[in-house]
Amino acid sequence: MLTVSVLMVLGFSVQQPGLTWADATEVKEQGVTTAATGEYDFWVWALEDAPVQVRFAGRDWTGCAERKDRDKPPRYVWLKLGRPTLSAGKHDIALPPSVASVALSADPAFDPAKVQPDIRVFDQPECVEDRRVSLVRDTNTVFTMPAFDSRKEWEAYAAILRRRILLSSGLCPLPERTPLNAKIFDPVEREDYIVEKVHFEARPGFLVTGNLYRPKGKGPYPAVLNPHGHWQNGRLENTDTCSVPGRCITFARMGMVAFTYDMIGRTDSRQFPHGWGGEREKLWGIHPFAMQLWSSMRALDFLESLPYVDRKRLACTGASGGGTQTFTLMAVDPRVKVASPNVMISCNMQGGCQCENAPILRLNNSNMEIGALMAPRPLLLVSATGDWTWETPRVEYPAISSIYRLYGKEDRIENVHIDAGHNYNHSSREAVYRFFGKWLLKQPKNWTDFREPEFRVEPESALRVLPGDQTPRGYPNSEQIIAATIESSRQKWLSILPRNANDFPEFKENYGTTLREVLGVECPAGNEVAAQRVGVERREGLLLERLVVTRPEIGDEIPALLYRPNDAQRRDTVLVVHGDGKAALADCAKGGPGPLIQQLLSSGKSVMTIDAFLLGEHHSPQARTTRKTGRFPDTFLPTDTGYRVQDVLTALAYLRSRRDLFGTVDLVGLANGGMWCLLAGAVDGKVRRLTVDANRFPVNDDEAWVTKYYVPCIRSIGDITTASYLLAPTPLWVINAGEPFDVSGLRNAYPLAQTDSLRVTDAPAAMDELAAWLD
């Protein structure tokens, strides 16, 4: 049966009867453990000419490996220090810096130098230099917007970006637009406008709170959404730096309806704190950014429901965090006809709050590209000399204008640069009034020289929807809202899954890229992958290549071992991915490939094994590799799971690119690698046969996803259920699929696809049976 004795969580460690083998990093942290009492040969991987003294088993062990070639620098070689008698259990050990690994074997014939070529690509204690480890992109990275040569090129890119914004927030497809149950009350009438209190339900029981400012009269009037930003007093801010009420009063006097509403957790929005949420919620695309984006879309619904609003003339403007809300809303909702996201779209700062940093939002873009999604609708960028938009006239404005140029609509984008700090001040507001007068009121001559008149803001009591610090009575709390949103998301996705064989093409056309987009992966072309051959070994009837597979433009590096019969015949290939790395597939006691690889080779296959991201030879035996991260890491870069799925896809592309192989590749994922391969197979769509070790993973346990396979938004798009529908009818064998693994998605998808190519077994697979399945 398929069993594994290698434990390679980060580096390399073997614990099995009669053999213990560990890298120096593992030894220093955990000591060494022997399974049984007995005599053991004590080996160290040590630097030539460096005297070795190891404190172990109550005594000092010494030795020195003499350098064989004096014309070359010293190398690491295996040195046997002795044969101590050890009791079963854990032993402390003190290693000098010149030792990279330790091995203890009860077998006198054991030779680690003969075993190591089937474990490591490198014959010295080094590791790959994967650029992804040191790549840091965060909110303060300086971005350059790419150039687009045609409208067609831009619109293809724009469609992907819009979709990813929605996916990031659990909004693909959009949720049901449930009743708003809007309440407008406590009007205050002034000479030329009315201000009222408002709340409505963006989701059942989840309140959006704010104030409605409107002209006196029947309309229909254009309407403007006014998200407020991170000012101290939120939507009630009325200072020289920013006056949200003053802006809304002036819009109403100009003949526009203005609605300003609270950010989550600010002023009257009390069901959530402002900075709530974590990875568990993000699995479902639930986080402050998502709640605010959906609230803004529902605010447009609210405005459209008012009898005195012209539904064809809706706009949005806000500054700072309100600018973020503005440009994300205008990016995904075409009802926004005019917009002004102020002092926010920047090449050098993407937003400093959790509510501005949805997961996967900026995997390969900045706010500049999101802002350009407004094209060709009218867009005003107000920037300031004293904040992160100081470069807008020469960087962000020309970049976004280049997209308007593709439409021949350069006259619809403007930039006004204010000599001030971060603001939505008097000068900024007047720039917006004139722009909206031109494009929303469609009266450019009337508003060219408009000056903001004096205004009087109502006292707080006249504007607050909920007095004091009270929470809304009779409405659900945050935990209840999250639970209801998760259930709504689950039911929404179930409703779009295919119900018969004829539905599969439409489902794959509409949602076939969702897994790829949330994972942040791509299927490389053959010319986009390459490999460095570190070494090659010719054995009796067998060729072993030690490789580092890479996408040169990306700079990722994947340690890989490729076994093939030593003849000129082209072969089919099996890619085997183990969750503990390629060493788990070696015969660590005697050397050579392990029994599974031997079985596949004997059936005429070529076999490749890899160390996926941050496993195996991503670490030196003497030092752990740690991935660097910045603020909001899952906003800007794939997670470790995403990178591991990418490594599977890259390895598949490399194997198909080799002319000495047929290009037909089977995929086997074992232990934690099973889930990576299931997702990779669904994204790739070209694997001939797929074997997945379910590893009894509790698919319906959010905490298990966070711990083992964290990918934001993956549960909102059906996780392995969606993978099953995308895979069908690819032949699939799922092993170790006993409780608590949930096989219902698999069992529903494959019969609907009218195929019997699904096998599900609770137990591991016998190696000969697996080899026959892949033949």
Side-chain angles (χ1 to χ4, degrees):
M1 304 294 282
L2 226 51
T3 58
V4 176
S5 55
V6 174
L7 307 172
M8 192 188 313
V9 177
L10 290 174
F12 173 57
S13 176
V14 177
Q15 293 177 15
Q16 60 188 48
L19 177 63
T20 297
W21 187 339
D23 288 341
T25 51
E26 302 287 331
V27 171
K28 291 173 183 177
E29 292 177 2
Q30 303 175 21
V32 294
T33 300
T34 48
T37 299
E39 290 187 335
Y40 291 83
D41 282 346
F42 179 25
W43 293 84
V44 293
W45 194 21
L47 186 65
E48 292 174 327
D49 290 349
V52 173
Q53 180 173 332
V54 179
R55 185 70 181 173
F56 177 55
R59 56 162 286 189
D60 291 331
W61 301 82
T62 60
C64 183
E66 185 176 344
R67 187 173 6 160
K68 296 178 180 179
D69 190 342
R70 292 289 167 180
D71 295 329
K72 295 181 179 179
R75 294 174 58 80
Y76 278 78
V77 296
W78 283 97
L79 174 67
K80 185 161 70 173
L81 296 181
R83 189 171 176 83
T85 299
L86 302 173
S87 60
K90 181 179 177 181
H91 309 275
D92 292 332
I93 183 169
L95 297 179
S98 59
V99 171
S101 297
V102 171
L104 297 166
S105 175
D107 182 0
F110 172 75
D111 184 351
K114 293 181 179 179
V115 175
Q116 192 159 267
D118 293 273
I119 293 174
R120 291 185 55 83
V121 168
F122 300 109
D123 62 2
Q124 294 297 291
E126 55 188 294
C127 63
V128 294
E129 297 180 359
D130 192 324
R131 197 183 304 162
R132 295 173 298 182
V133 168
S134 58
L135 177 62
V136 176
R137 284 208 303 262
D138 62 17
T139 190
N140 294 319
T141 297
V142 178
F143 290 87
T144 299
M145 180 170 157
F148 296 89
D149 295 329
S150 68
R151 178 173 164 181
K152 181 179 180 181
E153 181 187 8
W154 161 252
E155 290 183 345
Y157 175 89
I160 294 170
L161 181 52
R162 272 196 193 92
R163 183 187 185 90
R164 193 165 72 243
I165 296 169
L166 293 172
L167 282 169
S168 78
S169 297
L171 300 177
C172 180
L174 292 175
E176 177 188 0
R177 283 183 153 86
T178 51
L180 292 170
N181 297 324
K183 297 189 183 302
I184 305 173
F185 57 100
D186 290 351
V188 175
E189 290 199 26
R190 295 302 173 198
E191 181 179 352
D192 47 1
Y193 67 91
I194 299 171
V195 57
E196 298 164 300
K197 302 175 183 178
V198 173
H199 65 70
F200 61 80
E201 298 177 27
R203 295 180 180 272
F206 174 59
L207 291 180
V208 176
T209 49
N211 296 115
L212 187 67
Y213 297 77
R214 59 184 177 90
K216 289 185 172 180
K218 296 182 179 180
Y221 303 108
V224 184
L225 287 183
N226 290 267
H228 54 74
H230 292 99
W231 312 109
Q232 182 175 352
N233 297 308
R235 78 170 199 273
L236 306 181
E237 182 78 7
N238 182 37
T239 64
D240 290 342
T241 300
C242 172
S243 177
V244 180
R247 179 169 89 230
C248 293
I249 290 169
T250 305
F251 279 143
R253 286 171 165 173
M254 291 173 67
M256 293 177 273
V257 175
F259 178 59
T260 180
Y261 53 107
D262 292 319
M263 281 181 160
I264 306 297
R266 302 295 295 270
T267 312
D268 291 311
S269 178
R270 307 270 179 74
Q271 291 163 293
F272 290 84
H274 188 62
W276 62 275
E279 290 181 338
R280 184 255 175 174
E281 291 82 9
K282 287 194 282 188
L283 291 171
W284 294 93
I286 300 173
H287 41 79
F289 179 101
M291 298 293 274
Q292 290 182 173
L293 178 55
W294 183 238
S295 294
S296 294
M297 298 177 79
R298 297 312 314 271
L300 290 177
D301 295 343
F302 167 67
L303 289 177
E304 286 188 323
S305 73
L306 300 176
Y308 42 81
V309 166
D310 182 347
R311 301 178 58 171
K312 296 182 179 180
R313 289 191 289 167
L314 303 179
C316 187
T317 182
S320 191
T324 300
Q325 288 181 264
T326 297
F327 67 67
T328 52
L329 176 64
M330 75 191 193
V332 299
D333 199 320
R335 292 177 295 175
V336 177
K337 303 304 183 185
V338 184
S340 183
N342 296 336
V343 292
M344 199 60 239
I345 295 181
S346 168
C347 68
N348 59 74
M349 209 288 282
Q350 307 305 304
C353 180
Q354 184 178 353
C355 76
E356 299 174 276
N357 287 278
I360 76 171
L361 180 65
R362 305 184 186 96
L363 291 182
N364 57 7
N365 61 274
S366 70
N367 289 345
M368 289 184 286
E369 291 94 316
I370 299 176
L373 293 174
M374 185 66 182
R377 294 164 289 166
L379 174 66
L380 172 64
L381 301 175
V382 176
S383 53
T385 59
D387 69 6
W388 46 80
T389 59
W390 64 274
E391 297 181 274
T392 296
R394 66 179 184 85
V395 178
E396 296 88 351
Y397 173 62
I400 299 174
S401 293
S402 70
I403 304 303
Y404 279 77
R405 190 177 305 117
L406 296 177
Y407 290 88
K409 301 294 184 182
E410 289 176 272
D411 62 319
R412 294 188 178 184
I413 180 170
E414 296 181 20
N415 169 228
V416 174
H417 201 51
I418 305 296
D419 187 12
H422 196 56
N423 77 92
Y424 203 149
N425 64 17
H426 181 272
S427 298
S428 297
R429 294 196 298 273
E430 288 190 337
V432 174
Y433 301 147
R434 295 164 191 158
F435 191 81
F436 279 29
K438 176 180 179 180
W439 292 105
L440 192 62
L441 293 175
K442 299 183 180 180
Q443 301 169 347
K445 294 182 179 179
N446 294 352
W447 305 101
T448 301
D449 299 316
F450 180 74
R451 302 294 183 202
E452 181 182 78
E454 291 187 6
F455 55 80
R456 188 183 72 180
V457 175
E458 302 301 326
E460 183 175 314
S461 60
L463 299 176
R464 289 289 298 273
V465 176
L466 299 171
D469 294 325
Q470 77 175 55
T471 55
R473 296 179 181 176
Y475 289 91
N477 61 29
S478 59
E479 291 183 1
Q480 293 169 323
I481 293 169
I482 290 171
T485 303
I486 288 174
E487 183 57 28
S488 173
S489 178
R490 194 194 320 271
Q491 295 303 322
K492 176 188 70 173
W493 198 261
L494 288 174
S495 72
I496 67 171
L497 292 174
R499 299 186 179 183
N500 56 58
N502 295 330
D503 290 345
F504 275 79
E506 182 180 358
F507 175 75
K508 292 183 178 183
E509 180 180 354
N510 291 337
Y511 301 103
T513 63
T514 52
L515 279 177
R516 182 178 69 196
E517 289 162 352
V518 301
L519 287 161
V521 300
E522 60 181 27
C523 297
N527 290 336
E528 294 173 337
V529 295
Q532 174 193 0
R533 190 158 76 177
V534 176
V536 62
E537 187 175 330
R538 297 180 183 181
R539 302 175 180 174
E540 184 177 352
L542 180 67
L543 192 70
L544 169 60
E545 295 184 53
R546 300 197 301 275
L547 306 167
V548 176
V549 179
T550 182
R551 292 175 294 164
E553 288 193 7
I554 304 299
D556 47 5
E557 293 192 349
I558 308 166
L561 298 176
L562 176 61
Y563 299 88
R564 57 159 296 152
N566 190 11
D567 56 34
Q569 188 175 343
R570 296 177 71 191
R571 304 281 177 168
D572 290 341
T573 310
V574 182
L575 174 61
V576 185
V577 181
H578 197 288
D580 293 326
K582 62 188 185 315
L585 299 158
D587 185 339
C588 295
K590 298 179 180 179
L596 173 60
I597 297 176
Q598 288 184 20
Q599 186 79 36
L600 293 171
L601 289 169
S602 67
S603 67
K605 303 284 188 181
S606 295
V607 183
M608 190 162 88
T609 66
I610 66 171
D611 286 332
F613 184 65
L614 287 184
L615 297 177
E617 286 181 278
H618 283 85
H619 306 270
S620 160
Q622 296 166 303
R624 284 259 170 84
T625 297
T626 303
R627 182 182 179 185
K628 296 179 180 179
T629 58
R631 294 183 69 194
F632 315 114
D634 57 19
T635 297
F636 294 90
L637 292 167
T639 64
D640 292 353
T641 296
Y643 276 153
R644 288 165 183 160
V645 173
Q646 179 63 67
D647 288 348
V648 177
L649 294 168
T650 301
L652 289 170
Y654 170 71
L655 291 171
R656 292 179 183 132
S657 74
R658 288 186 57 130
R659 292 186 173 88
D660 60 341
L661 303 174
F662 272 127
T664 302
V665 184
D666 296 325
L667 180 59
V668 177
L670 300 176
N672 287 348
M675 197 64 67
W676 309 334
C677 289
L678 179 68
L679 297 171
V683 170
D684 175 76
K686 294 183 289 187
V687 170
R688 191 190 69 149
R689 286 180 180 267
L690 174 59
T691 304
V692 168
D693 184 353
N695 208 20
R696 299 181 183 269
F697 175 67
V699 175
N700 297 317
D701 183 344
D702 289 345
E703 293 303 324
W705 278 98
V706 169
T707 302
K708 277 196 171 184
Y709 304 112
Y710 176 59
V711 177
C713 313
I714 195 166
R715 301 224 61 202
S716 70
I717 60 163
D719 50 77
I720 71 162
T721 297
T722 293
S724 304
Y725 280 85
L726 295 178
L727 276 167
T730 300
L732 171 64
W733 186 5
V734 183
I735 61 175
N736 277 329
E739 294 289 341
F741 184 76
D742 184 355
V743 299
S744 59
L746 294 162
R747 294 197 186 280
N748 289 335
Y750 271 72
L752 282 177
Q754 297 182 352
T755 177
D756 58 357
S757 55
L758 172 68
R759 297 179 64 181
V760 178
T761 54
D762 290 353
M767 283 174 288
D768 57 349
E769 190 178 6
L770 178 56
W773 156 260
L774 295 172
D775 193 1

